[in-house]
């Protein structure tokens, strides 16, 4: 092959590579989602160190290689948590069809939510789910980073924990992709519809895979 032709082919390959790299760096168009807010760019999850329902360490490394949907709550919650856990149990089989997927229940009541209590709670709803908790020094900055919040109300053994009803979707790279939020309807308590939840998460996974 003549030298000018070889040079031309090499330049063409280099140009195609540069174009591909440029395309990968371009911002992806935002999705039209039913019940979610998508971050313009993936956001990092701050470093954390928690413990799961089996007594094992759960850290940022535990988010790698799988999609994670996080919900904040506590096992003594009388309404939002059991309702949400039931919905997630119904949605989970559909979500894990597309890619490795985990549901993460983040307990913000470490005083009462022992390892045993968290395990019993997950076993009731779905033993494949992950339940984690830790000291408030870990929980407060992490929930804020995830776009959520909680406060302890009351004294004694029967105190309540007010907490966000939203969920956060985290990518297999350990980055925040979107927040799934309850929608208000006239005459009804704001809630997340399972059909919209599944559709939004599937669209986000396809986009950011």
């Amino acid at each position: 092959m003549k030298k000018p032709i070889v040079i031309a082919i090499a330049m063409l390959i280099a140009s195609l590579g540069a174009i591909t790299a440029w395309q990968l760096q371009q911002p992806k168009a935002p999705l039209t989602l039913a019940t979610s807010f998508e971050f313009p760019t993936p956001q990092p999850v701050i470093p954390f160190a928690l413990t799961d329902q089996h007594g094992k360490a759960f850290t940022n490394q535990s988010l790698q290689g799988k999609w994670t949907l996080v919900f904040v709550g506590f096992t003594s919650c009388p309404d939002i948590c059991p309702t949400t856990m039931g919905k997630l149990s119904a949605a989970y089989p559909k979500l894990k069809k597309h890619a490795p997927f985990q549901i993460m229940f983040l307990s913000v009541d470490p005083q009462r939510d022992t390892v045993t209590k968290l395990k019993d709670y997950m076993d009731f709803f779905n033993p494949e789910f992950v339940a984690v908790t830790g000291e408030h020094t870990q929980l407060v900055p992490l929930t804020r980073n995830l776009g959520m919040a909680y406060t302890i109300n009351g004294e004694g053994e029967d105190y309540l924990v007010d907490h966000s009803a939203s969920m956060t979707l985290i990518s297999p790279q350990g980055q925040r992709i979107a927040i799934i939020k309850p929608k208000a309807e006239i005459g009804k308590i704001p809630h997340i519809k399972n059909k919209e939840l599944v559709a939004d998460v599937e669209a986000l996974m396809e986009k950011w895979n």
Side-chain angles (χ1 to χ4, degrees), residues 185-196:
E185 294 183 10
I186 298 175
K188 294 183 179 180
I189 297 174
H191 65 288
I192 297 172
K193 294 181 179 179
N194 255 28
K195 185 177 181 180
E196 294 179 344

Side-chain angles (χ1 to χ4, degrees), residues 109-183:
D109 186 11
Q111 181 176 332
R112 293 181 296 195
D113 284 347
T114 62
V115 167
T116 300
K117 199 167 185 181
L118 288 175
K119 185 176 185 305
D120 290 343
Y121 200 67
M122 291 302 101
D123 286 348
F124 178 78
F125 287 103
N126 193 318
E128 293 185 27
F129 289 3
V130 179
V132 299
T133 194
E135 299 296 328
H136 288 296
T137 52
Q138 291 282 326
L139 296 172
V140 171
L142 178 58
T143 51
R144 287 177 178 173
N145 176 251
L146 295 176
M148 304 175 189
Y150 71 95
T151 56
I152 308 294
N153 286 318
E155 298 179 355
E157 296 181 357
D158 297 325
Y159 63 86
L160 292 175
V161 184
D162 292 335
H163 59 89
S164 304
S166 302
M167 306 176 200
T168 300
L169 182 66
I170 300 174
S171 74
Q173 291 74 42
Q175 296 177 310
R176 294 175 290 140
I177 297 297
I179 295 179
I180 294 90
K181 297 183 175 183
K183 288 174 61 177

Side-chain angles (χ1 to χ4, degrees), residues 26-33 36-41 177 203-204 207-208:
Q26 297 310 297
K28 298 184 179 182
L31 297 169
T32 300
L33 302 169
S36 306
F37 168 78
E38 179 187 9
F39 295 109
T41 57
I177 297 297
L204 288 161
K207 175 179 177 179
W208 293 103

